[in-house]
Amino acid sequence: MQSNPLCALFSILSLGILATPSVQAQQRGNTGDASHNVTVHEDLDGNIIAADSTGTYTYPSWSIYLASDFFSRNRMRCGQNFLPPAGGQQTFGAKSDCAYGSTNPKNEYDPAVQKFSIPVVVHILMNTNGNGAISDAMVQSQIDILNEDFLAMIGTNGAPGTDCQVDFYLATVDPNGNATTGITRDTNNNWYNDTGNYKSVLSWNTNKYFNIYTNTASGYLGYAYIPQSGGVVGNSIDGVVCNWTAFGRNSPGGPPYNQGRTMTHETGHYLGLFHTFDNGCGSTSACYTSGDLICDTNRESGPVFGCPGSSSSCSSQDPFHNYMDYTNDLCMYEFTPEQARRLRCTIEYWRPNLFTSGGGSTLIFGDGFESGDYSTGGWVTQNVKCRIHGKSAYTGIWGARLKRITNAEKSFSTVGFSQVRVNYAGMVTNYAPKKKLLLQWFDGVNWVTVDNVQSSTWTNQSVFLPAGAANNPNCTIRFKSKDKTKGTFASFDDVAVWGD
């Protein structure tokens, strides 16, 4: 019987340490699985040691383990307990269009609007016995498969699907500004067996890089975290963990999970998609707030395995060719148009510092305030209440702070660009209603508020400036604190202005 799931999206007891999957109160999703008391690891001889309530089992190779009754019985494709929704995350603007519990697939998220390009770093974790080693060519093959599937490239397995206009590339510059292949390698038996603090040690800035780790994935084929879950975005846990035997084209685990679709599936989770069967059939009249939060995926009561000629539940055909179901790699070939819109909304508003647009956006201006001085970045401050402060840093050492009602403005040229986007991180200390951090644009007469932050925790923001900001030799923006209360201040950091 083939019932090996394709991924694992599960919770962990501690966000700081990645360990064997454990059960947490489930907020969304329902695979029908009971609590898992399962451990899987590889010993120094290369044997796979798997234990559950029925006993301990030894398998001589990963391919034999993946075909085992243990793997299917415990549904080791997925230990799908979700982290709770992002508590206190603001839903100003379009972030609410792709929230934890709802979807609003507006036309502005149509793939035709613009292309998103995402830099990737792959961290390869190996055992001292040599297992886990993956060649650069195999890594590139996995990047190729992601692009085939997310772009529905003609002549590939992903051709029948929706072109999401999202592509991926191995990073060429590391966080320190040095040239890189976008691939790192480490030999550590604990990390290889998916234990220890490897993410906090190895991760590159998770706001700016898509971090992928290959190891044993605790016996699953892979797992990721929905960014709309609390404590994910900006945390070292963010990214995808993929079992090395299922990574890349013709990967060593063998059929039916050797064509790179584990990563396609997990990347769907990373970009905000749920399983097609999550929460069962849901409601036809409330399909954007029930089930998988998508209306154009047929309702489905549970996962489909293998590659059946037909499968139905919830009074309709199951969407078993969808990347977010559990069928075999070569049985999957599509995201739907509304899934494409949800994942694009997630990129734009939950991961705004991750991408460039158009496959060739130009950075017009960027400032992380690491100089410790506003003037170095050409900012004009209103008064001494505008400070660079260590406690206002989102990343790095320094960030920008505005006390009470004050502002800092910046002018730059956008000549040659037809649209302008501003990415930044913002927060309001001691937040209470009516206390805001405003982003404003000067239209030549008045200051126009284009975005605001009303949150006591850091939020990543991305906003397109009005049309008048484009092709403008003196485009001016400002950040403004709007509150008179003593002890309240607004902070912003990692400002990046992009032009297309």
Side-chain angles (χ1 to χ4, degrees):
M1 181 178 76
Q2 292 178 328
S3 59
N4 305 29
L6 215 170
C7 85
L9 178 65
F10 58 88
S11 65
I12 53 179
L13 286 173
S14 166
L15 293 184
I17 299 177
L18 182 64
T20 300
S22 61
V23 173
Q24 187 176 48
Q26 186 166 308
Q27 304 294 320
R28 282 193 52 79
N30 179 18
T31 64
D33 290 341
S35 173
H36 270 188
N37 183 19
V38 174
T39 62
V40 179
H41 73 278
E42 180 184 311
D43 67 17
L44 291 176
D45 294 323
N47 297 307
I48 314 307
I49 312 301
D52 63 10
S53 60
T54 68
T56 300
Y57 307 86
T58 301
Y59 303 95
S61 69
W62 280 101
S63 59
I64 293 175
Y65 162 77
L66 293 175
S68 71
D69 178 67
F70 180 97
F71 189 88
S72 60
R73 179 177 70 249
N74 287 292
R75 290 195 170 184
M76 295 300 288
R77 281 188 190 170
C78 186
Q80 190 205 1
N81 288 300
F82 290 91
L83 296 172
Q89 288 276 9
Q90 77 166 51
T91 55
F92 174 82
K95 186 175 281 190
S96 60
D97 290 339
C98 44
Y100 188 90
S102 63
T103 300
N104 183 10
K106 295 178 181 176
N107 289 338
E108 66 189 78
Y109 308 123
D110 188 278
V113 173
Q114 61 179 325
K115 189 180 206 177
F116 296 140
S117 297
I118 296 176
V120 178
V121 55
V122 178
H123 305 284
I124 299 171
L125 307 180
M126 297 173 288
N127 195 314
T128 51
N129 65 15
N131 282 351
I134 298 174
S135 69
D136 288 5
M138 184 66 85
V139 171
Q140 185 59 55
S141 77
Q142 182 62 76
I143 300 299
D144 292 344
I145 291 167
L146 288 176
N147 290 331
E148 291 167 8
D149 294 347
F150 280 83
L151 296 174
M153 294 176 64
I154 295 173
T156 72
N157 293 335
T162 299
D163 181 357
C164 301
Q165 280 293 285
V166 176
D167 67 6
F168 305 84
Y169 63 95
L170 288 170
T172 57
V173 179
D174 73 10
N176 296 318
N178 300 316
T180 179
T181 61
I183 303 170
T184 73
R185 289 180 170 85
D186 290 272
T187 299
N188 182 304
N189 288 354
N190 289 330
W191 294 357
Y192 171 77
N193 272 309
D194 202 26
T195 61
N197 63 340
Y198 66 83
K199 283 190 174 182
S200 62
V201 174
L202 299 177
S203 64
W204 292 9
N205 186 333
T206 56
N207 288 309
K208 297 180 179 180
Y209 297 89
F210 176 17
N211 284 257
I212 298 171
Y213 305 85
T214 64
N215 59 13
T216 67
S218 291
Y220 292 87
L221 287 181
Y223 60 88
Y225 298 94
I226 299 285
Q228 290 87 345
S229 301
V232 173
V233 176
N235 193 298
S236 63
I237 68 166
D238 200 5
V240 167
V241 177
C242 183
N243 191 301
W244 71 279
T245 67
F247 187 84
R249 202 184 309 276
N250 299 318
S251 55
Y257 308 113
N258 67 335
Q259 295 302 313
R261 261 42 188 283
T262 294
M263 273 305 307
T264 300
H265 180 107
E266 297 305 335
T267 302
H269 288 316
Y270 175 80
L271 298 180
L273 298 183
F274 290 95
H275 295 131
T276 51
F277 51 83
D278 278 340
N279 297 290
C281 294
S283 168
T284 54
S285 61
C287 46
Y288 291 130
T289 56
S290 66
D292 67 346
L293 312 181
I294 301 292
C295 288
D296 68 354
T297 56
N298 284 358
R299 297 185 304 145
E300 187 176 26
S301 63
V304 176
F305 307 121
C307 192
S310 178
S311 178
S312 62
S313 62
C314 307
S315 303
S316 63
Q317 277 290 307
D318 293 327
F320 58 84
H321 292 302
N322 196 284
Y323 294 125
M324 303 313 294
D325 207 335
Y326 279 176
T327 45
N328 297 346
D329 277 18
L330 292 179
C331 197
M332 297 176 163
Y333 56 66
E334 67 175 349
F335 292 116
T336 66
E338 288 185 351
Q339 283 179 313
R341 291 190 180 196
R342 178 177 169 86
L343 69 84
R344 288 174 58 82
C345 173
T346 299
I347 293 170
E348 191 165 343
Y349 291 100
W350 290 89
R351 301 192 179 282
N353 296 312
L354 182 67
F355 68 95
T356 59
S357 57
S361 291
T362 299
L363 180 65
I364 298 172
F365 168 75
D367 199 346
F369 303 102
E370 292 307 295
S371 68
D373 185 6
Y374 274 111
S375 61
T376 301
W379 295 88
V380 177
T381 55
Q382 183 179 10
N383 52 43
V384 294
K385 294 179 181 178
C386 304
R387 299 177 59 196
I388 302 298
H389 201 289
K391 291 184 178 180
S392 291
Y394 177 56
T395 61
I397 299 173
W398 303 106
R401 172 176 290 191
L402 305 174
K403 295 185 68 175
R404 301 188 186 181
I405 298 181
T406 188
N407 62 72
E409 65 181 65
K410 167 70 179 177
S411 296
F412 44 85
S413 174
T414 63
V415 172
F417 299 106
S418 59
Q419 61 180 1
V420 181
R421 173 170 53 91
V422 180
N423 291 354
Y424 68 99
M427 67 171 290
V428 179
T429 299
N430 300 323
Y431 170 74
K434 297 184 179 180
K435 299 177 181 180
K436 301 177 182 178
L437 170 67
L438 304 179
L439 171 60
Q440 299 179 319
W441 167 70
F442 189 62
D443 68 0
V445 178
N446 300 304
W447 286 101
V448 179
T449 298
V450 295
D451 196 26
N452 74 65
V453 172
Q454 301 177 60
S455 174
S456 60
T457 58
W458 284 102
T459 65
N460 285 296
Q461 302 295 106
S462 180
V463 59
F464 285 94
L465 298 182
N471 205 33
N472 187 331
N474 191 36
C475 180
T476 303
I477 61 172
R478 74 178 182 185
F479 289 91
K480 181 177 181 178
S481 174
K482 188 180 181 182
D483 185 68
K484 297 180 180 179
T485 306
K486 185 176 181 180
T488 296
F489 51 86
S491 300
F492 62 99
D493 198 1
D494 290 347
V495 179
V497 180
W498 296 90
D500 291 295

